[in-house]
Amino acid sequence: MQEIRFIEAKQLKEKPDFKNLGFGNYYTDYMFVMDYSEEKGWYDPRIEPYGPIMMEPASMVLHYGQTTFEGLKAYYGVDGDIRLFRPEKNMARLNESNKRVCIPEFDGDLVIEGIKKLVNIEKEWIPREEGTSLYIRPFVIATDVHVGVHPSKTYKFMVILSPVGAYYKEGINPVKIYVEDDYVRAVKGGLGYAKTAANYAASLKSQIVAEEKGYTQVLWLDGVERKYIEEVGTMNVMFVIDGEVVTPELNGSILAGITRMSTIELLRDAGYKVTERKVSIQEVFDAYENGKLDEAFGTGTAAVISPIGVLEWNGKKITINDGKIGPVSQKVYDTITGIQSGKLEDKFGWITKA
Ligand SMILES: *Cc1c(COP(=O)(O)O)cnc(C)c1O
């Protein structure tokens, strides 16, 4: 494996108030960086001071969006150890996203080494209070200085860190979700399964409309018929219908969440029936009418589990499980956060210690 250089900062920043972090507001002193060229492949992995990067205005990423990203977290355990949750899955997914937008493959083990090293250097930046963590954002950008639509020949890989507050400060709050049946986020054959900027640019407009109507996020339907459920903004979605957990199958336009995968694995292990298949929005509303919609929840790294309290579609508004978190959602939340904090045994082998 390549040697990871360390370039020391002349001065360290003052730390923010760890009681008021929010999400994505502060960045640490260092970042991981490596570069790519056709001759050298991925080269010069290093940890250097976090700061502005010099780019020419004609840099390709700025024009055609050839870029990908990931999101994971480092947690301070109750035992003082630093834990990463399934980072090898993030690396595999980033390589899948890269493949889709013609970014060359990288060595996931090398980047995990870089992340471990970076996180250890930045130990003091990891908040320790329950529910808090250090958010890790790996991303890749196309850096050729050229205006013209084709894949870049040079890239930059970076990993930046941001201390983040607890998602739920006063207990788990169910969210209100608006079902979008006009705009679409992705279609089969498109970019939906890749964590790439275009998908998020496509989502902004309807996110604003949903917020104006008093909703937290949008639930996307399929891009062809606007009939089948895809996912929420940055979360996959699951429903408990008549005791069975159902979730949209991965169809090429849905992001394959690692929290989704973990939820399915742990629920099956706990004896629940979990089915991945097409789920129409009509089916969910029918289940509600028949008194069979027990729970609905989103899964994602940021909140782990977001129970859905209210769902609006086509002028109809339903309140699920009295707007409270249900037993399945609670179980998944407690199990995953328990493993992440070291309170529960890592029986599935999901933890990498930093
Ligand atoms: C990142 C993301 C998710 C959740 O993935 P996790 O690996 O569970 O964090 C779901 N949907 C979209 C669109 C995403 O970008």
Side-chain angles (χ1 to χ4, degrees):
M1 203 183 291
Q2 295 174 69
E3 190 72 34
I4 301 168
R5 287 199 296 140
F6 176 59
I7 302 146
E8 205 171 344
K10 292 209 175 63
Q11 208 182 344
L12 300 184
K13 295 181 222 178
E14 208 170 299
K15 306 258 183 326
D17 173 8
F18 275 26
K19 294 234 165 347
N20 258 313
L21 291 168
F23 192 92
N25 297 319
Y26 304 99
Y27 293 88
T28 69
D29 291 304
Y30 290 97
M31 58 186 178
F32 171 87
V33 186
M34 63 181 178
D35 299 289
Y36 178 91
S37 72
E38 284 187 323
E39 311 79 60
K40 297 191 219 171
W42 287 106
Y43 68 95
D44 195 15
R46 60 202 183 268
I47 288 169
E48 62 177 49
Y50 175 95
I53 50 171
M54 293 282 272
M55 289 172 82
E56 288 199 31
S59 296
M60 284 185 73
V61 64
L62 301 177
H63 302 270
Y64 308 114
Q66 198 191 7
T67 177
T68 52
F69 69 95
E70 269 303 323
L72 66 160
K73 288 171 167 179
Y75 310 84
Y76 243 128
V78 284
D79 51 5
D81 287 346
I82 302 165
R83 288 174 171 77
L84 303 171
F85 187 74
R86 314 187 82 175
E88 66 286 352
K89 299 288 179 199
N90 294 93
M91 296 303 115
R93 185 170 67 189
L94 186 51
N95 266 323
E96 279 304 306
S97 300
N98 283 353
K99 225 184 270 174
R100 180 63 183 84
V101 297
C102 305
I103 294 174
E105 193 171 341
F106 65 94
D107 175 4
D109 291 340
L110 170 68
V111 175
I112 291 176
E113 268 319 294
I115 289 174
K116 283 188 191 170
K117 197 167 167 177
L118 181 61
V119 163
N120 272 292
I121 291 168
E122 301 287 47
K123 259 193 179 97
E124 301 287 305
W125 283 90
I126 312 178
R128 288 174 181 256
E129 268 184 47
E130 182 149 354
T132 63
S133 58
L134 186 66
Y135 185 75
I136 303 169
R137 166 53 60 92
F139 65 109
V140 190
I141 55 173
T143 51
D144 271 10
V145 177
H146 182 79
V147 166
V149 181
H150 59 79
S152 180
K153 293 186 172 69
T154 61
Y155 299 88
K156 198 177 264 302
F157 192 125
M158 280 173 276
V159 181
I160 56 176
L161 305 176
S162 175
V164 297
Y167 204 89
Y168 298 113
K169 281 196 184 115
E170 300 113 11
I172 300 184
N173 276 323
V175 292
K176 292 173 72 179
I177 300 285
Y178 183 76
V179 182
E180 175 62 71
D181 54 8
D182 186 11
Y183 293 112
V184 299
R185 170 188 177 274
V187 289
K188 198 171 173 179
L191 299 171
Y193 70 88
K195 252 176 141 70
T196 185
N199 291 327
Y200 305 85
S203 75
L204 296 174
K205 190 95 186 168
S206 80
Q207 175 70 23
I208 296 292
V209 174
E211 281 171 18
E212 278 168 5
K213 290 185 172 151
Y215 289 84
T216 321
Q217 283 199 41
V218 164
L219 178 65
W220 299 104
L221 300 179
D222 77 275
V224 179
E225 297 181 83
R226 314 279 202 281
K227 228 166 116 176
Y228 297 100
I229 293 171
E230 299 241 309
E231 60 177 313
V232 176
T234 53
M235 293 187 292
N236 296 107
V237 68
M238 303 202 177
F239 301 90
V240 186
I241 299 175
D242 207 11
E244 178 185 346
V245 182
V246 294
T247 189
E249 65 194 359
L250 299 177
N251 59 357
S253 55
I254 296 175
L255 200 287
I258 293 157
T259 321
R260 174 190 184 277
M261 179 195 301
S262 308
T263 298
I264 293 171
E265 288 170 22
L266 82 84
L267 284 177
R268 283 187 180 149
D269 178 73
Y272 287 87
K273 182 168 184 217
V274 185
T275 311
E276 298 173 75
R277 60 167 169 83
K278 280 187 165 189
V279 186
S280 75
I281 186 68
Q282 186 68 54
E283 175 187 350
V284 169
F285 275 69
D286 286 348
Y288 174 82
E289 287 299 324
N290 300 329
K292 292 192 166 160
L293 182 59
D294 307 331
E295 295 179 45
F297 58 97
T299 65
T301 296
V304 184
I305 294 298
S306 260
I308 299 174
V310 174
L311 200 57
E312 181 180 330
W313 172 55
N314 218 359
K316 280 172 291 201
K317 197 190 260 192
I318 61 176
T319 300
I320 303 161
N321 194 40
D322 291 329
K324 295 199 280 293
I325 183 165
V328 177
S329 317
Q330 187 74 55
K331 182 184 179 59
V332 176
Y333 182 80
D334 291 344
T335 308
I336 294 182
T337 56
I339 291 172
Q340 288 168 339
S341 66
K343 280 185 197 154
L344 292 182
E345 183 209 341
D346 175 25
K347 70 180 246 190
F348 303 101
W350 286 342
I351 295 300
T352 293
K353 291 201 179 168

